[in-house]
């Protein structure tokens, strides 16, 4: 089977698709023939992305979705089924990274990270798993981070906690997944995206900006890794991919 045909016509849901890794992955998979269901809160950005994909001959729809709302994520899955009749891949990409030392007590930001980075992933799993179970096929790809491998102190302890959780949930899902359902954890290092802009703490924001400027690689680097996992034969499950810029130490 050619690489193109391994992805062509697969129905792929991508959360957080309006920018960064989600947008790059959407463009990459669309060029490979996937049929895309793109989710984010910023509807105008989504619709512009869909228009670009359609102009290039691809298929995509935009669905305004807040992943912290389980009902909205359920509705996202239903729209995928209504339009394309199946769900082959879910890429749980939506995430936020407001960084600050714990002593700054940014409790609201802690809660928001838990809601988006952990609950959002679980809402996605809950929305697609019944369909994939019935199909006896499917692929759930959860975006983690190198900060889920090593605690990102002194500014990212809570962010790391959410990404450690994503890895734990993904491994549990791998073990529990019904026949034919694959799982992949993708853990990137510094990749060009809006994720780096989420810090309200001035010192942390300056540090993150400098770190990314010194290290970051294009978002398409992650898109290619995701495509690699998807295009494997059905009996092959690439469980985890960790990718960093070659110059990044952390």
């Amino acid at each position: 089977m050619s690489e193109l045909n391994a992805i062509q016509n697969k129905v792929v849901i991508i959360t957080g698709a309006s920018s960064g890794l989600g947008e790059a992955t959407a463009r990459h998979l669309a060029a490979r023939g996937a049929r895309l269901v793109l989710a984010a809160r910023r509807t105008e950005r989504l619709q512009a992305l869909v228009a670009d994909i359609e102009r290039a001959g691809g298929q995509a729809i935009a669905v305004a979705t807040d992943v912290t709302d389980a009902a909205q994520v359920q509705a996202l899955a239903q729209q995928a089924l209504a339009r394309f009749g199946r769900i082959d891949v879910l890429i749980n990409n939506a995430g936020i990274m407001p960084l600050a030392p714990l002593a700054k007590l940014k409790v609201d930001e802690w809660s928001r990270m838990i809601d988006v980075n952990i609950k959002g992933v679980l809402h996605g799993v809950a929305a697609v798993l019944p369909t994939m179970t019935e199909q006896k096929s499917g692929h759930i790809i959860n975006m983690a981070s190198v900060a889920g491998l090593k605690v990102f102190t002194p500014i990212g302890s809570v962010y790391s906690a959410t990404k450690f959780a994503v890895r734990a949930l993904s491994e549990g899902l791998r073990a529990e997944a019904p026949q034919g359902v694959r799982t992949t954890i993708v853990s990137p290092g510094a990749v060009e995206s809006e994720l780096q802009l989420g810090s309200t703490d001035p010192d942390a924001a300056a540090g993150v900006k400098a770190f990314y400027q010194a290290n970051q690689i294009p978002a398409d680097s992650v898109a290619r890794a995701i495509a690699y996992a998807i295009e494997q034969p059905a009996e092959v499950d690439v469980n985890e991919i960790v990718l960093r810029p070659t110059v990044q130490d952390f």
Side-chain angles (χ1 to χ4, degrees):
M1 181 179 290
S2 73
E3 288 189 0
L4 176 62
N5 288 338
I7 290 176
Q8 190 165 27
N9 292 326
K10 282 189 182 292
V11 178
V12 182
I13 299 174
I14 306 175
T15 67
S18 61
S19 66
L21 305 186
E23 179 184 354
T25 301
R27 293 183 186 278
H28 187 74
L29 295 181
R32 303 283 292 275
R35 297 179 289 173
L36 301 176
V37 181
L38 305 179
R41 291 176 299 163
R42 293 181 293 185
T43 312
E44 289 184 5
R45 294 280 294 269
L46 277 184
Q47 290 172 341
L49 176 57
V50 166
D52 282 352
I53 289 169
E54 290 180 338
R55 275 193 295 270
Q59 297 183 65
I61 61 171
V63 183
T65 308
D66 182 344
V67 297
T68 67
D69 184 335
Q72 291 189 39
V73 184
Q74 290 286 343
L76 168 66
Q78 289 305 310
Q79 289 205 46
L81 290 171
R83 176 63 182 269
F84 296 117
R86 60 183 294 110
I87 300 170
D88 295 303
V89 183
L90 166 66
I91 302 173
N92 269 319
N93 169 70
I96 58 172
M97 190 178 70
L99 302 176
L102 288 169
K104 296 294 181 76
L105 301 180
K106 292 186 175 289
V107 178
D108 288 344
E109 291 183 358
W110 299 348
S111 294
R112 182 68 180 164
M113 271 191 282
I114 290 167
D115 286 345
V116 175
N117 297 359
I118 302 177
K119 290 182 180 178
V121 168
L122 287 169
H123 293 161
V125 171
V128 304
L129 195 56
T131 295
M132 292 181 176
T133 301
E134 184 178 351
Q135 292 172 172
K136 293 185 170 57
S137 69
H139 195 168
I140 296 173
I141 300 174
N142 293 330
M143 300 302 299
S145 170
V146 294
L149 299 166
K150 180 180 179 181
V151 179
F152 190 11
T153 58
I155 59 174
S157 296
V158 178
Y159 178 72
S160 277
T162 67
K163 294 303 183 177
F164 270 79
V166 168
R167 294 187 67 247
L169 291 167
S170 301
E171 172 58 14
L173 178 62
R174 183 198 64 78
E176 295 181 33
Q179 179 182 354
V181 177
R182 305 188 295 181
T183 64
T184 301
I185 308 164
V186 180
S187 298
V191 176
E192 186 177 7
S193 76
E194 293 181 359
L195 197 66
Q196 63 188 280
L197 306 177
S199 303
T200 60
D201 178 71
D203 293 335
V208 170
K209 181 179 179 181
F211 178 79
Y212 270 76
Q213 286 179 341
N215 291 281
Q216 69 183 6
I217 53 178
D220 188 63
S221 310
V222 178
R224 292 194 303 274
I226 290 171
Y228 169 78
I230 294 171
E231 72 190 6
Q232 299 308 306
E235 69 274 16
V236 177
D237 188 354
V238 177
N239 300 138
E240 184 162 13
I241 298 173
V242 181
L243 69 155
R244 292 177 173 88
T246 54
V247 297
Q248 180 178 335
D249 293 329
F250 175 77

